[in-house]
Amino acid sequence: MRRMRLTPALLVLLFPTLGSAQLRDDEDDEGPPPARPSVPPQPPQNRGTQPPQGQPPYPPQQAPNQYPQGYPPGQNPYPQQQYPQGGYPQQYPQGYRPPPQGQHPQGQYPQGQYPQGQYPQGQYPQGQYPQGQYPQGQYPQGQYPQGQYPPNQYPPQQYRDPYGRPYPAPYGQPPPAGLVPPPSAAAVAAALTLTTINEAARADALACASALDNFHMDTARAKCSEALARDGDFALAHLWMSQAAASPAIAAAELARASDLAKRATPGEKLLVDGWRAWKEGRIGDAQKAYDQLALTCAGDKRAFLARGQLRQVALADLEGAAADYQKAVTLDGTSGAAHNLLGFALADLGRLDEAAVALRKYAALAPAEPNAHDSLATLALRRGDTLEAIAEAHKALNLDPRFLVVHAVLGDAHLAAGKPKEARREYALLEAADDPALRHDGAMRAARVALFEDRTLDAERALVREADVARKASRAGEAAEAFLEAARLQIERGALAEAGRGLREATDTLRRPTDPNAPVTIDEGERRRLSAQLLETRALALASLGERELAEARADELAAQQKQSGDPREADRIRALKGWIAWRVGDDKAALAGLEKAALPSLRLAHALTLARTGDTARARSIMEQLARRATNDAESALARPRASAWLRAIAPGPITTR
């Protein structure tokens, strides 16, 4: 291969910090923080309606004179250890200080055992307790405290004894047959508990989580806001608000609050929060440990497996493991549309498209009014190359909810794959007009790539740079860096290395950490690390394009060390493929074939196909090119590979290339 002449001026312009261009992470010098100690599964609690064997309800000689009317069946306000035969405990309950002698109601409490600060000196709460019936008969007949809970619908473990402590294991007679069937001990132990005493807050938070599962982000934000207005200390509501947040600053603040509150929540809640936070901070190994422990602690809750499955699919590229987790979630809750949806996409990524279709159709059957189900079916149809079905499913989604803007992405992609760029731009323009900044950015990036499919590379580059500038001014550093890097990648492909160097410097400045610790958050740490790795990878590609193989491979080794430190298990495959691309670019076909053999990214598979063609294996090259030419998704990798693959196929066999 011809070697480009590398002048000092060009090298300085392209790589002002050559050899140390990777964004340094000062906090990483000490390595990732140690993993949290494992939280063992909690032992099952006895929530049956009968007392444990060998511990009968009060024996007749120990029973109080009168069982308080209004307490829910199966709950005993007078545990044995607190009310032995003959009266009240002889020792003051732990944690209370006795009042001065003689200030308790005469004849009611032994000396020194009056509950601290509970009642005014010598008085019962006015009008609350009839004389001589304290604490027996605390509540008027048939009523619960504050009228909150009707009979047989009380929340478990929320009633307390007269000293304010939770009741121990339930005693008493079972509730009437057919009312309040008790959960099994295994189910109780395996469930993910939501720590809040406000039932309305619980309902709002679950509605927020459901909206997140179905990509209704506006609804999710509204419902989580309502939940937090009712209970500001609800850890999982803060977590889900963080995931739905429209700005990086809000997401970071909500996640920090969730992490703080989770320290006082149940083990399952804490693990769910810890796993997400580790993921967002780029500590993939710690995230994996947290989610593995969550799956053990809450082995009967679908949320544990949906969370771990997404980490496996997105961060670890463990598609088999992700599919297994989603299948477990479906087994635990066959009515969960979100579980069927995620299972469908994992199966599609594994190439099992028929099984994926079954899972997604089940999603649509379970949620006939859910537009996201048809958006998913449209996306799958597009993967199969069926643009007509994709367009039809997308319109079904819009008929169900015209405000479900997400579907305009797949609808635009389907029109683009069908050779209708004008219709595609119309759909992307609706995304660009959205109030949600993430949707607006997605629409702008897709619209910019349309020019690539029309062989207007310069127009695409200019549109990407404009979007990068808009995102940076909006304090969305991740989106700005993404656009700068995509533009630089296009410039490398067409040999405009000086321009690519300028784009890389812009991306570097955008991702640099602010010196002011109080500066607003514009990108989460996990996204910063991901884009920093992409930046380093793009530098290696640029150096290889200059013919500087040694420097390019040094950048690849630097990337390997960075990825190993973050705990990314894909590091070895990624570096092998990158070095294969470098070898292809400098003309080392043997090393290129070895490095690119198992490459997954379309741009790397394109390099593999070109190497095969160069070495005479046209049949294998053609097979790969046909697959790339049928790729219908409008993303960065498709934009790099699909037009070139189509052009190559036309060159060796003139004629139209269909997407089906």
Side-chain angles (χ1 to χ4, degrees), residues 521-554:
V521 176
T522 61
I523 182 174
D524 66 63
E525 190 58 30
E527 186 75 352
R528 190 194 305 276
R529 293 188 184 190
R530 182 186 69 81
L531 290 168
S532 296
Q534 187 177 334
L535 172 62
L536 195 55
E537 188 174 41
T538 308
R539 289 189 186 282
L541 301 179
L543 285 167
S545 299
L546 287 167
E548 295 293 336
R549 182 175 185 176
E550 184 176 349
L551 291 175
E553 290 187 344

PDB file of all heavy atoms in Angstrom, residues 521-554:
ATOM      1  N   VAL A 521     -23.077  19.056  35.910  1.00  0.00           N
ATOM      2  CA  VAL A 521     -22.770  17.805  35.223  1.00  0.00           C
ATOM      3  C   VAL A 521     -23.324  17.864  33.799  1.00  0.00           C
ATOM      4  O   VAL A 521     -24.498  18.153  33.590  1.00  0.00           O
ATOM      5  CB  VAL A 521     -23.372  16.609  35.982  1.00  0.00           C
ATOM      6  CG1 VAL A 521     -23.131  15.317  35.209  1.00  0.00           C
ATOM      7  CG2 VAL A 521     -22.781  16.511  37.381  1.00  0.00           C
ATOM      8  N   THR A 522     -22.469  17.601  32.810  1.00  0.00           N
ATOM      9  CA  THR A 522     -22.902  17.598  31.416  1.00  0.00           C
ATOM     10  C   THR A 522     -22.809  16.216  30.779  1.00  0.00           C
ATOM     11  O   THR A 522     -23.255  16.033  29.649  1.00  0.00           O
ATOM     12  CB  THR A 522     -22.059  18.582  30.587  1.00  0.00           C
ATOM     13  OG1 THR A 522     -20.675  18.174  30.640  1.00  0.00           O
ATOM     14  CG2 THR A 522     -22.182  19.996  31.137  1.00  0.00           C
ATOM     15  N   ILE A 523     -22.249  15.248  31.517  1.00  0.00           N
ATOM     16  CA  ILE A 523     -22.104  13.891  31.006  1.00  0.00           C
ATOM     17  C   ILE A 523     -21.821  12.976  32.187  1.00  0.00           C
ATOM     18  O   ILE A 523     -21.111  13.369  33.124  1.00  0.00           O
ATOM     19  CB  ILE A 523     -20.957  13.822  29.965  1.00  0.00           C
ATOM     20  CG1 ILE A 523     -20.839  12.409  29.387  1.00  0.00           C
ATOM     21  CG2 ILE A 523     -19.639  14.273  30.571  1.00  0.00           C
ATOM     22  CD1 ILE A 523     -19.828  12.301  28.251  1.00  0.00           C
ATOM     23  N   ASP A 524     -22.399  11.779  32.188  1.00  0.00           N
ATOM     24  CA  ASP A 524     -22.097  10.871  33.291  1.00  0.00           C
ATOM     25  C   ASP A 524     -20.762  10.181  33.028  1.00  0.00           C
ATOM     26  O   ASP A 524     -20.271  10.127  31.891  1.00  0.00           O
ATOM     27  CB  ASP A 524     -23.219   9.859  33.509  1.00  0.00           C
ATOM     28  CG  ASP A 524     -23.394   8.882  32.361  1.00  0.00           C
ATOM     29  OD1 ASP A 524     -22.465   8.108  32.090  1.00  0.00           O
ATOM     30  OD2 ASP A 524     -24.469   8.885  31.734  1.00  0.00           O
ATOM     31  N   GLU A 525     -20.161   9.666  34.089  1.00  0.00           N
ATOM     32  CA  GLU A 525     -18.802   9.137  33.993  1.00  0.00           C
ATOM     33  C   GLU A 525     -18.726   7.924  33.074  1.00  0.00           C
ATOM     34  O   GLU A 525     -17.746   7.742  32.345  1.00  0.00           O
ATOM     35  CB  GLU A 525     -18.288   8.774  35.384  1.00  0.00           C
ATOM     36  CG  GLU A 525     -16.808   8.433  35.430  1.00  0.00           C
ATOM     37  CD  GLU A 525     -15.913   9.543  34.920  1.00  0.00           C
ATOM     38  OE1 GLU A 525     -16.284  10.734  35.059  1.00  0.00           O
ATOM     39  OE2 GLU A 525     -14.840   9.224  34.372  1.00  0.00           O
ATOM     40  N   GLY A 526     -19.737   7.068  33.089  1.00  0.00           N
ATOM     41  CA  GLY A 526     -19.720   5.918  32.199  1.00  0.00           C
ATOM     42  C   GLY A 526     -19.707   6.325  30.735  1.00  0.00           C
ATOM     43  O   GLY A 526     -18.977   5.751  29.918  1.00  0.00           O
ATOM     44  N   GLU A 527     -20.517   7.339  30.392  1.00  0.00           N
ATOM     45  CA  GLU A 527     -20.539   7.835  29.020  1.00  0.00           C
ATOM     46  C   GLU A 527     -19.217   8.502  28.659  1.00  0.00           C
ATOM     47  O   GLU A 527     -18.727   8.359  27.535  1.00  0.00           O
ATOM     48  CB  GLU A 527     -21.699   8.822  28.856  1.00  0.00           C
ATOM     49  CG  GLU A 527     -21.932   9.310  27.443  1.00  0.00           C
ATOM     50  CD  GLU A 527     -22.598   8.275  26.551  1.00  0.00           C
ATOM     51  OE1 GLU A 527     -22.752   7.117  26.969  1.00  0.00           O
ATOM     52  OE2 GLU A 527     -22.959   8.631  25.418  1.00  0.00           O
ATOM     53  N   ARG A 528     -18.626   9.224  29.609  1.00  0.00           N
ATOM     54  CA  ARG A 528     -17.335   9.856  29.348  1.00  0.00           C
ATOM     55  C   ARG A 528     -16.276   8.794  29.020  1.00  0.00           C
ATOM     56  O   ARG A 528     -15.482   8.930  28.088  1.00  0.00           O
ATOM     57  CB  ARG A 528     -16.886  10.680  30.560  1.00  0.00           C
ATOM     58  CG  ARG A 528     -15.672  11.564  30.277  1.00  0.00           C
ATOM     59  CD  ARG A 528     -15.068  12.093  31.575  1.00  0.00           C
ATOM     60  NE  ARG A 528     -16.034  12.791  32.403  1.00  0.00           N
ATOM     61  CZ  ARG A 528     -16.367  14.067  32.267  1.00  0.00           C
ATOM     62  NH1 ARG A 528     -15.825  14.790  31.299  1.00  0.00           N
ATOM     63  NH2 ARG A 528     -17.242  14.614  33.086  1.00  0.00           N
ATOM     64  N   ARG A 529     -16.263   7.717  29.805  1.00  0.00           N
ATOM     65  CA  ARG A 529     -15.271   6.668  29.569  1.00  0.00           C
ATOM     66  C   ARG A 529     -15.515   5.962  28.234  1.00  0.00           C
ATOM     67  O   ARG A 529     -14.569   5.632  27.506  1.00  0.00           O
ATOM     68  CB  ARG A 529     -15.303   5.663  30.711  1.00  0.00           C
ATOM     69  CG  ARG A 529     -14.832   6.237  32.033  1.00  0.00           C
ATOM     70  CD  ARG A 529     -14.696   5.147  33.080  1.00  0.00           C
ATOM     71  NE  ARG A 529     -14.340   5.688  34.381  1.00  0.00           N
ATOM     72  CZ  ARG A 529     -13.979   4.958  35.425  1.00  0.00           C
ATOM     73  NH1 ARG A 529     -13.933   3.642  35.316  1.00  0.00           N
ATOM     74  NH2 ARG A 529     -13.671   5.525  36.573  1.00  0.00           N
ATOM     75  N   ARG A 530     -16.783   5.701  27.916  1.00  0.00           N
ATOM     76  CA  ARG A 530     -17.091   5.036  26.641  1.00  0.00           C
ATOM     77  C   ARG A 530     -16.635   5.876  25.464  1.00  0.00           C
ATOM     78  O   ARG A 530     -15.993   5.378  24.522  1.00  0.00           O
ATOM     79  CB  ARG A 530     -18.595   4.772  26.544  1.00  0.00           C
ATOM     80  CG  ARG A 530     -19.013   4.031  25.277  1.00  0.00           C
ATOM     81  CD  ARG A 530     -20.521   3.925  25.171  1.00  0.00           C
ATOM     82  NE  ARG A 530     -21.167   5.203  24.928  1.00  0.00           N
ATOM     83  CZ  ARG A 530     -21.248   5.778  23.724  1.00  0.00           C
ATOM     84  NH1 ARG A 530     -20.708   5.189  22.658  1.00  0.00           N
ATOM     85  NH2 ARG A 530     -21.869   6.932  23.580  1.00  0.00           N
ATOM     86  N   LEU A 531     -16.943   7.175  25.502  1.00  0.00           N
ATOM     87  CA  LEU A 531     -16.564   8.049  24.395  1.00  0.00           C
ATOM     88  C   LEU A 531     -15.061   8.317  24.377  1.00  0.00           C
ATOM     89  O   LEU A 531     -14.477   8.512  23.304  1.00  0.00           O
ATOM     90  CB  LEU A 531     -17.351   9.357  24.488  1.00  0.00           C
ATOM     91  CG  LEU A 531     -18.843   9.216  24.176  1.00  0.00           C
ATOM     92  CD1 LEU A 531     -19.609  10.467  24.574  1.00  0.00           C
ATOM     93  CD2 LEU A 531     -19.060   8.908  22.693  1.00  0.00           C
ATOM     94  N   SER A 532     -14.429   8.314  25.549  1.00  0.00           N
ATOM     95  CA  SER A 532     -12.968   8.467  25.589  1.00  0.00           C
ATOM     96  C   SER A 532     -12.294   7.275  24.916  1.00  0.00           C
ATOM     97  O   SER A 532     -11.294   7.421  24.208  1.00  0.00           O
ATOM     98  CB  SER A 532     -12.490   8.601  27.039  1.00  0.00           C
ATOM     99  OG  SER A 532     -13.006   9.770  27.636  1.00  0.00           O
ATOM    100  N   ALA A 533     -12.843   6.080  25.138  1.00  0.00           N
ATOM    101  CA  ALA A 533     -12.315   4.893  24.461  1.00  0.00           C
ATOM    102  C   ALA A 533     -12.517   4.998  22.954  1.00  0.00           C
ATOM    103  O   ALA A 533     -11.632   4.649  22.159  1.00  0.00           O
ATOM    104  CB  ALA A 533     -12.987   3.644  25.012  1.00  0.00           C
ATOM    105  N   GLN A 534     -13.679   5.494  22.545  1.00  0.00           N
ATOM    106  CA  GLN A 534     -13.939   5.666  21.113  1.00  0.00           C
ATOM    107  C   GLN A 534     -13.003   6.705  20.515  1.00  0.00           C
ATOM    108  O   GLN A 534     -12.540   6.560  19.368  1.00  0.00           O
ATOM    109  CB  GLN A 534     -15.398   6.070  20.909  1.00  0.00           C
ATOM    110  CG  GLN A 534     -15.835   6.112  19.458  1.00  0.00           C
ATOM    111  CD  GLN A 534     -17.303   6.454  19.311  1.00  0.00           C
ATOM    112  OE1 GLN A 534     -18.108   6.215  20.207  1.00  0.00           O
ATOM    113  NE2 GLN A 534     -17.663   7.022  18.170  1.00  0.00           N
ATOM    114  N   LEU A 535     -12.710   7.745  21.279  1.00  0.00           N
ATOM    115  CA  LEU A 535     -11.773   8.768  20.824  1.00  0.00           C
ATOM    116  C   LEU A 535     -10.385   8.169  20.599  1.00  0.00           C
ATOM    117  O   LEU A 535      -9.735   8.414  19.575  1.00  0.00           O
ATOM    118  CB  LEU A 535     -11.710   9.893  21.864  1.00  0.00           C
ATOM    119  CG  LEU A 535     -10.658  10.979  21.671  1.00  0.00           C
ATOM    120  CD1 LEU A 535     -10.885  11.733  20.374  1.00  0.00           C
ATOM    121  CD2 LEU A 535     -10.675  11.946  22.848  1.00  0.00           C
ATOM    122  N   LEU A 536      -9.920   7.366  21.534  1.00  0.00           N
ATOM    123  CA  LEU A 536      -8.608   6.743  21.410  1.00  0.00           C
ATOM    124  C   LEU A 536      -8.575   5.780  20.220  1.00  0.00           C
ATOM    125  O   LEU A 536      -7.589   5.701  19.481  1.00  0.00           O
ATOM    126  CB  LEU A 536      -8.286   5.998  22.708  1.00  0.00           C
ATOM    127  CG  LEU A 536      -6.838   5.558  22.937  1.00  0.00           C
ATOM    128  CD1 LEU A 536      -5.880   6.727  22.840  1.00  0.00           C
ATOM    129  CD2 LEU A 536      -6.721   4.889  24.294  1.00  0.00           C
ATOM    130  N   GLU A 537      -9.661   5.060  20.019  1.00  0.00           N
ATOM    131  CA  GLU A 537      -9.765   4.136  18.888  1.00  0.00           C
ATOM    132  C   GLU A 537      -9.704   4.891  17.567  1.00  0.00           C
ATOM    133  O   GLU A 537      -9.031   4.461  16.615  1.00  0.00           O
ATOM    134  CB  GLU A 537     -11.076   3.362  19.008  1.00  0.00           C
ATOM    135  CG  GLU A 537     -11.243   2.228  18.031  1.00  0.00           C
ATOM    136  CD  GLU A 537     -12.505   1.428  18.340  1.00  0.00           C
ATOM    137  OE1 GLU A 537     -13.539   2.046  18.669  1.00  0.00           O
ATOM    138  OE2 GLU A 537     -12.447   0.199  18.267  1.00  0.00           O
ATOM    139  N   THR A 538     -10.402   6.034  17.504  1.00  0.00           N
ATOM    140  CA  THR A 538     -10.405   6.818  16.268  1.00  0.00           C
ATOM    141  C   THR A 538      -9.025   7.400  15.993  1.00  0.00           C
ATOM    142  O   THR A 538      -8.597   7.507  14.831  1.00  0.00           O
ATOM    143  CB  THR A 538     -11.457   7.937  16.352  1.00  0.00           C
ATOM    144  OG1 THR A 538     -12.720   7.379  16.729  1.00  0.00           O
ATOM    145  CG2 THR A 538     -11.616   8.645  15.020  1.00  0.00           C
ATOM    146  N   ARG A 539      -8.281   7.758  17.026  1.00  0.00           N
ATOM    147  CA  ARG A 539      -6.902   8.226  16.840  1.00  0.00           C
ATOM    148  C   ARG A 539      -6.046   7.116  16.220  1.00  0.00           C
ATOM    149  O   ARG A 539      -5.212   7.370  15.340  1.00  0.00           O
ATOM    150  CB  ARG A 539      -6.306   8.658  18.166  1.00  0.00           C
ATOM    151  CG  ARG A 539      -6.866   9.950  18.729  1.00  0.00           C
ATOM    152  CD  ARG A 539      -6.055  10.398  19.940  1.00  0.00           C
ATOM    153  NE  ARG A 539      -6.639  11.555  20.586  1.00  0.00           N
ATOM    154  CZ  ARG A 539      -6.546  12.811  20.155  1.00  0.00           C
ATOM    155  NH1 ARG A 539      -5.882  13.063  19.049  1.00  0.00           N
ATOM    156  NH2 ARG A 539      -7.108  13.799  20.825  1.00  0.00           N
ATOM    157  N   ALA A 540      -6.257   5.877  16.697  1.00  0.00           N
ATOM    158  CA  ALA A 540      -5.494   4.762  16.135  1.00  0.00           C
ATOM    159  C   ALA A 540      -5.813   4.583  14.649  1.00  0.00           C
ATOM    160  O   ALA A 540      -4.910   4.325  13.832  1.00  0.00           O
ATOM    161  CB  ALA A 540      -5.805   3.488  16.908  1.00  0.00           C
ATOM    162  N   LEU A 541      -7.079   4.740  14.278  1.00  0.00           N
ATOM    163  CA  LEU A 541      -7.455   4.613  12.876  1.00  0.00           C
ATOM    164  C   LEU A 541      -6.812   5.710  12.032  1.00  0.00           C
ATOM    165  O   LEU A 541      -6.357   5.467  10.901  1.00  0.00           O
ATOM    166  CB  LEU A 541      -8.978   4.674  12.732  1.00  0.00           C
ATOM    167  CG  LEU A 541      -9.794   3.613  13.476  1.00  0.00           C
ATOM    168  CD1 LEU A 541     -11.282   3.828  13.238  1.00  0.00           C
ATOM    169  CD2 LEU A 541      -9.389   2.216  13.044  1.00  0.00           C
ATOM    170  N   ALA A 542      -6.769   6.917  12.572  1.00  0.00           N
ATOM    171  CA  ALA A 542      -6.169   8.027  11.836  1.00  0.00           C
ATOM    172  C   ALA A 542      -4.670   7.800  11.637  1.00  0.00           C
ATOM    173  O   ALA A 542      -4.130   8.046  10.550  1.00  0.00           O
ATOM    174  CB  ALA A 542      -6.419   9.330  12.580  1.00  0.00           C
ATOM    175  N   LEU A 543      -3.996   7.320  12.664  1.00  0.00           N
ATOM    176  CA  LEU A 543      -2.558   7.050  12.542  1.00  0.00           C
ATOM    177  C   LEU A 543      -2.298   5.947  11.521  1.00  0.00           C
ATOM    178  O   LEU A 543      -1.335   6.014  10.740  1.00  0.00           O
ATOM    179  CB  LEU A 543      -1.988   6.662  13.896  1.00  0.00           C
ATOM    180  CG  LEU A 543      -1.812   7.820  14.886  1.00  0.00           C
ATOM    181  CD1 LEU A 543      -1.556   7.295  16.288  1.00  0.00           C
ATOM    182  CD2 LEU A 543      -0.675   8.736  14.445  1.00  0.00           C
ATOM    183  N   ALA A 544      -3.150   4.912  11.534  1.00  0.00           N
ATOM    184  CA  ALA A 544      -2.989   3.855  10.542  1.00  0.00           C
ATOM    185  C   ALA A 544      -3.201   4.397   9.134  1.00  0.00           C
ATOM    186  O   ALA A 544      -2.513   3.991   8.182  1.00  0.00           O
ATOM    187  CB  ALA A 544      -3.968   2.726  10.823  1.00  0.00           C
ATOM    188  N   SER A 545      -4.140   5.327   8.976  1.00  0.00           N
ATOM    189  CA  SER A 545      -4.383   5.924   7.669  1.00  0.00           C
ATOM    190  C   SER A 545      -3.194   6.759   7.212  1.00  0.00           C
ATOM    191  O   SER A 545      -2.984   6.944   6.003  1.00  0.00           O
ATOM    192  CB  SER A 545      -5.646   6.790   7.719  1.00  0.00           C
ATOM    193  OG  SER A 545      -6.773   6.001   8.045  1.00  0.00           O
ATOM    194  N   LEU A 546      -2.416   7.268   8.148  1.00  0.00           N
ATOM    195  CA  LEU A 546      -1.184   7.983   7.822  1.00  0.00           C
ATOM    196  C   LEU A 546      -0.025   7.022   7.542  1.00  0.00           C
ATOM    197  O   LEU A 546       1.068   7.454   7.174  1.00  0.00           O
ATOM    198  CB  LEU A 546      -0.790   8.906   8.977  1.00  0.00           C
ATOM    199  CG  LEU A 546      -1.641  10.160   9.169  1.00  0.00           C
ATOM    200  CD1 LEU A 546      -1.349  10.801  10.502  1.00  0.00           C
ATOM    201  CD2 LEU A 546      -1.393  11.147   8.038  1.00  0.00           C
ATOM    202  N   GLY A 547      -0.237   5.730   7.746  1.00  0.00           N
ATOM    203  CA  GLY A 547       0.816   4.755   7.547  1.00  0.00           C
ATOM    204  C   GLY A 547       1.675   4.525   8.769  1.00  0.00           C
ATOM    205  O   GLY A 547       2.670   3.798   8.710  1.00  0.00           O
ATOM    206  N   GLU A 548       1.308   5.100   9.894  1.00  0.00           N
ATOM    207  CA  GLU A 548       2.088   4.981  11.128  1.00  0.00           C
ATOM    208  C   GLU A 548       1.573   3.796  11.947  1.00  0.00           C
ATOM    209  O   GLU A 548       0.893   3.952  12.966  1.00  0.00           O
ATOM    210  CB  GLU A 548       1.996   6.285  11.927  1.00  0.00           C
ATOM    211  CG  GLU A 548       2.620   7.474  11.241  1.00  0.00           C
ATOM    212  CD  GLU A 548       4.135   7.330  11.124  1.00  0.00           C
ATOM    213  OE1 GLU A 548       4.721   6.581  11.947  1.00  0.00           O
ATOM    214  OE2 GLU A 548       4.721   7.942  10.212  1.00  0.00           O
ATOM    215  N   ARG A 549       1.924   2.607  11.513  1.00  0.00           N
ATOM    216  CA  ARG A 549       1.398   1.403  12.159  1.00  0.00           C
ATOM    217  C   ARG A 549       1.852   1.282  13.611  1.00  0.00           C
ATOM    218  O   ARG A 549       1.050   0.916  14.491  1.00  0.00           O
ATOM    219  CB  ARG A 549       1.840   0.165  11.376  1.00  0.00           C
ATOM    220  CG  ARG A 549       1.297  -1.139  11.962  1.00  0.00           C
ATOM    221  CD  ARG A 549       1.655  -2.325  11.091  1.00  0.00           C
ATOM    222  NE  ARG A 549       1.045  -3.547  11.584  1.00  0.00           N
ATOM    223  CZ  ARG A 549       1.128  -4.724  10.963  1.00  0.00           C
ATOM    224  NH1 ARG A 549       1.799  -4.821   9.809  1.00  0.00           N
ATOM    225  NH2 ARG A 549       0.537  -5.787  11.472  1.00  0.00           N
ATOM    226  N   GLU A 550       3.107   1.561  13.876  1.00  0.00           N
ATOM    227  CA  GLU A 550       3.621   1.410  15.242  1.00  0.00           C
ATOM    228  C   GLU A 550       2.895   2.334  16.206  1.00  0.00           C
ATOM    229  O   GLU A 550       2.493   1.925  17.301  1.00  0.00           O
ATOM    230  CB  GLU A 550       5.125   1.686  15.263  1.00  0.00           C
ATOM    231  CG  GLU A 550       5.768   1.465  16.623  1.00  0.00           C
ATOM    232  CD  GLU A 550       7.273   1.655  16.596  1.00  0.00           C
ATOM    233  OE1 GLU A 550       7.839   1.755  15.486  1.00  0.00           O
ATOM    234  OE2 GLU A 550       7.873   1.713  17.685  1.00  0.00           O
ATOM    235  N   LEU A 551       2.708   3.595  15.800  1.00  0.00           N
ATOM    236  CA  LEU A 551       1.995   4.536  16.661  1.00  0.00           C
ATOM    237  C   LEU A 551       0.526   4.130  16.817  1.00  0.00           C
ATOM    238  O   LEU A 551      -0.051   4.251  17.898  1.00  0.00           O
ATOM    239  CB  LEU A 551       2.088   5.949  16.079  1.00  0.00           C
ATOM    240  CG  LEU A 551       3.476   6.610  16.118  1.00  0.00           C
ATOM    241  CD1 LEU A 551       3.439   7.945  15.395  1.00  0.00           C
ATOM    242  CD2 LEU A 551       3.950   6.790  17.552  1.00  0.00           C
ATOM    243  N   ALA A 552      -0.062   3.644  15.733  1.00  0.00           N
ATOM    244  CA  ALA A 552      -1.469   3.231  15.795  1.00  0.00           C
ATOM    245  C   ALA A 552      -1.647   2.056  16.755  1.00  0.00           C
ATOM    246  O   ALA A 552      -2.587   2.031  17.565  1.00  0.00           O
ATOM    247  CB  ALA A 552      -1.950   2.854  14.401  1.00  0.00           C
ATOM    248  N   GLU A 553      -0.751   1.089  16.693  1.00  0.00           N
ATOM    249  CA  GLU A 553      -0.870  -0.061  17.588  1.00  0.00           C
ATOM    250  C   GLU A 553      -0.564   0.323  19.034  1.00  0.00           C
ATOM    251  O   GLU A 553      -1.102  -0.291  19.966  1.00  0.00           O
ATOM    252  CB  GLU A 553       0.050  -1.182  17.108  1.00  0.00           C
ATOM    253  CG  GLU A 553      -0.432  -1.807  15.809  1.00  0.00           C
ATOM    254  CD  GLU A 553       0.368  -3.029  15.399  1.00  0.00           C
ATOM    255  OE1 GLU A 553       1.481  -3.227  15.952  1.00  0.00           O
ATOM    256  OE2 GLU A 553      -0.112  -3.794  14.542  1.00  0.00           O
ATOM    257  N   ALA A 554       0.259   1.351  19.232  1.00  0.00           N
ATOM    258  CA  ALA A 554       0.489   1.850  20.596  1.00  0.00           C
ATOM    259  C   ALA A 554      -0.798   2.420  21.175  1.00  0.00           C
ATOM    260  O   ALA A 554      -1.102   2.231  22.364  1.00  0.00           O
ATOM    261  CB  ALA A 554       1.597   2.904  20.599  1.00  0.00           C
TER     262      ALA A 554
END
